[in-house]
Amino acid sequence: MNLPPRSTPLVCGLLLVAGPVLAQQAARPDLKELKARVLADSNEPEVHYALALGFIRDKKWDDADRQLGVTLSIAPGYAEAWLARSGLFFARGRKYWEKQFKAGGIDSVRARLRQALRDERHAFLLDPLVDLAATGMTDIGETPHLSVENGESLSGYLPWWIPPLNNSIIEMRQGLYPDAMKRLQQVIEDSRIGSLTAAPDLILWYHGLACAHAGEFEDAILDLAMIRVRNDKHVVRGRGPRLAFPYNDLTYMMATAAFHGGQMTDAITEFNQVIQADFSLYMAHTQLARIYSATGDWPHAVAEREAAVAANAGDPTLLVDLGGTLLKAGRPAEAEEPLTEATTLNPRDALAPYLLGQALDKLGRDEDAKAAYQHFLAIAPSSYSAQTGQVRARLAQ
């Protein structure tokens, strides 16, 4: 199969104006300084992420990919890092993928594209309110969340609403979510569209994201609900490229918006619907655990943490979350096992040994607690300065 001609995108997508975003970013970071920070604070995911963004700004894609990989090895739940990594496929540009096609065939290119799409989906499932500035750091040519039919491309299509949509995306990448929301609302109300029900998916998607980030969660839910109905019924009718998020993912995002909007009953109902449809979507259990923890319903919070671990066995972050919730629930003996396992699975995560030391302290196992605390001190990044001081004071007793 041949690559599509240069005049059309590699995937069915929207051409975005990324240049202005890059021009409006702050001065390029000093890579030498960022590398020094990584050496000095090697277990801090934030400094690895900052270095990755520095490489992205300098178009050092392979170096950026490696640093994002390190970031995620320390903090698997870092949604912005997943989103930035998904953008690297598009940042590399057509010429790069044409060379890859010639060297390894179209299947190798498709595989990398699908991985980029999976990374982006994972970012939005980890946090539907993921900071879109992560995508603004790359010179992206296409939107990565659009449907891909076996890697085939479709001819470019630039309707009248593309320029205002581009401008709104630029605003969102700069954190100007209310401005983007107003701009897209004007598009929806334009006589050429006329209503929310007639708006293209891309307009609804970005309007929904802008609304959610601006705290207008009910409007965000309406946008996502419209996309969900269309995708469920396979409605197309000339409304532009169709979003690739499945029905259950959209339900999860709507539930998250309801959660942030204080609609806890609706959120609980919808998260449970998500789980019934797909038990493996462990993030729904995580969100339910947060809701129950906020209300002090520890039995349900622990049960949801345990369900999340069962749905995604071996994820050290989920084990840490379970251990932390068990501690808050006053069950330190049960917290020991998941925290010990998390410490083994992710030896660079300082939170696991810190919480393990607390659990062992509560159990009166002084020597074991000291060993856990010493492990914590050996790997703790600078962001744990308060906990470091606390632990040192404890060990000095």
Side-chain angles (χ1 to χ4, degrees), residues 255-256 258-259 263-272 288 291:
T256 303
F259 172 29
Q263 302 174 30
M264 296 306 177
T265 301
D266 290 343
I268 290 172
T269 299
E270 290 178 345
F271 281 133
N272 279 310
L288 283 170
I291 292 175

Side-chain angles (χ1 to χ4, degrees), residues 283-300:
M283 296 86 159
H285 290 294
T286 297
Q287 299 285 32
L288 283 170
R290 290 170 179 161
I291 292 175
Y292 293 130
S293 295
T295 61
D297 186 349
W298 298 116
H300 281 99

Side-chain angles (χ1 to χ4, degrees), residues 89-102:
F89 178 93
F90 305 92
R92 292 178 187 272
R94 172 173 297 279
K95 290 183 179 180
Y96 175 86
W97 292 113
E98 285 176 341
K99 291 180 181 178
Q100 295 299 309
F101 166 65
K102 292 178 181 177

Side-chain angles (χ1 to χ4, degrees), residues 43 74 316 319-320 323-324 327 335-336 338-361 368-381 384 387 391 395:
N43 289 326
I74 302 171
L319 292 166
V320 174
L327 270 177
E336 180 183 0
L339 291 172
T340 300
E341 185 179 354
T343 300
T344 301
L345 289 174
N346 190 357
R348 300 180 69 176
D349 180 8
L351 183 57
Y354 173 74
L355 293 177
L356 178 59
Q358 289 192 328
L360 295 169
D361 246 348
D368 291 336
K370 286 183 178 179
Y373 284 141
Q374 287 166 350
H375 180 196
F376 163 75
L377 290 176
I379 65 172
Y384 280 78
Q387 293 85 350
V391 167
L395 293 177

